[in-house]
Amino acid sequence: MMIFFQAVADTTAVADGAESLSVFEVLWKGGPVMVPIVLMSIIAVYIFVERFYTIKNAQKTPQSFMNSIRDYVVSGNIPAAKSLCEETDSPIARMVEKGIQRLGKPLKNIDVAIENVGKLELYRLEKRLHIMATISGAAPMIGFLGTVLGMIQAFFEMSNAGNNIDPGMLAGGIYQAMVTTAAGLTVGIIAFLGYNYLVTMVENVVHKMEATSVDFIDLLNEPA
């Protein structure tokens, strides 16, 4: 986003033949409406980075995990299976651990217990994603609000000027209108792309969780 506004500032300087504006000067020209837009951009970046690493870590279940669980369960070494689950920090390991804790009970109860843990893990993975979705929709709307306010200011200046309209008098309002629109759309697009990328990552984890749940239930259904 900062690179985008630096380009805007450089373009403005070339077009006007004036001294160049810094990124912060360009943002300042947008007026008070820029405050919530900048805050939303910071929040969106923080959530994306935090959720990205959280979800990425949730995907790091070793390939040999289920093979080891299968060997332990088949051989009756349940304590070793529990220990492996405790040592593996992932949603899949916590689901399997809950299923192991329910061994000896009806398969339906085990399946429900695993499913409940899966729902809790999904809730943890999706934490704060709704905020990014809100920002992706709200930022452009706030930007358009700034545009409307800027145009109102411009027309107000025109009304007060009467027949002595000076383009310089209108520049401030129009500048505010353009900057807030660009800022709102930029933040909204980035938040939207980031949100969808994180949702895709969550879906991949969920698919692995579902596949592991089926494998574990199938393991318990195998004849001794």
Side-chain angles (χ1 to χ4, degrees):
M1 179 178 173
M2 291 301 179
I3 295 175
F4 171 80
F5 282 107
Q6 185 61 59
V8 172
D10 294 341
T11 302
T12 303
V14 171
D16 293 345
E19 58 180 308
S20 62
L21 296 174
S22 69
V23 174
F24 296 103
E25 287 174 325
V26 173
L27 297 177
W28 181 258
K29 291 285 187 179
V33 177
M34 287 301 302
V35 175
I37 293 178
V38 171
L39 287 176
M40 285 191 292
S41 70
I42 295 172
I43 293 171
V45 170
Y46 168 77
I47 292 175
F48 178 82
V49 173
E50 188 271 335
R51 286 291 91 191
F52 175 81
Y53 285 106
T54 298
I55 299 170
K56 192 173 182 63
N57 289 334
Q59 296 175 332
K60 292 181 179 178
T61 304
Q63 298 255 342
S64 60
F65 175 77
M66 277 308 296
N67 291 333
S68 299
I69 291 295
R70 175 182 294 274
D71 293 339
Y72 289 142
V73 172
V74 170
S75 64
N77 194 354
I78 303 304
K82 288 182 179 179
S83 178
L84 177 60
C85 291
E86 293 171 355
E87 293 171 359
T88 307
D89 183 18
S90 73
I92 289 176
R94 286 186 282 272
M95 289 173 57
V96 173
E97 181 181 7
K98 179 60 69 173
I100 292 175
Q101 291 174 354
R102 294 292 187 272
L103 288 178
K105 296 186 177 181
L107 287 178
K108 182 175 180 57
N109 292 351
I110 298 176
D111 192 16
V112 170
I114 293 175
E115 183 179 348
N116 289 338
V117 173
K119 290 178 180 178
L120 291 175
E121 294 297 331
L122 176 60
Y123 172 78
R124 294 192 184 104
L125 292 175
E126 292 180 336
K127 189 177 180 181
R128 289 189 286 270
L129 287 187
H130 66 283
I131 298 177
M132 282 197 71
T134 301
I135 289 175
S136 69
M141 298 300 293
I142 294 177
F144 290 139
L145 174 61
T147 298
V148 173
L149 295 177
M151 296 308 297
I152 289 175
Q153 178 183 339
F155 284 114
F156 179 76
E157 295 292 341
M158 290 176 61
S159 176
N160 287 341
N163 294 328
N164 301 318
I165 298 177
D166 181 2
M169 299 171 59
L170 309 178
I174 296 176
Y175 202 106
Q176 175 182 341
M178 297 301 99
V179 169
T180 56
T181 299
L185 287 173
T186 302
V187 174
I189 291 171
I190 292 174
F192 179 76
L193 294 176
Y195 169 78
N196 280 282
Y197 183 78
L198 293 176
V199 167
T200 301
M201 292 181 67
V202 170
E203 288 177 349
N204 289 336
V205 177
V206 170
H207 290 157
K208 290 181 180 178
M209 291 165 60
E210 291 175 345
T212 302
S213 174
V214 171
D215 288 344
F216 185 73
I217 295 300
D218 288 344
L219 171 61
L220 299 182
N221 276 321
E222 291 179 1

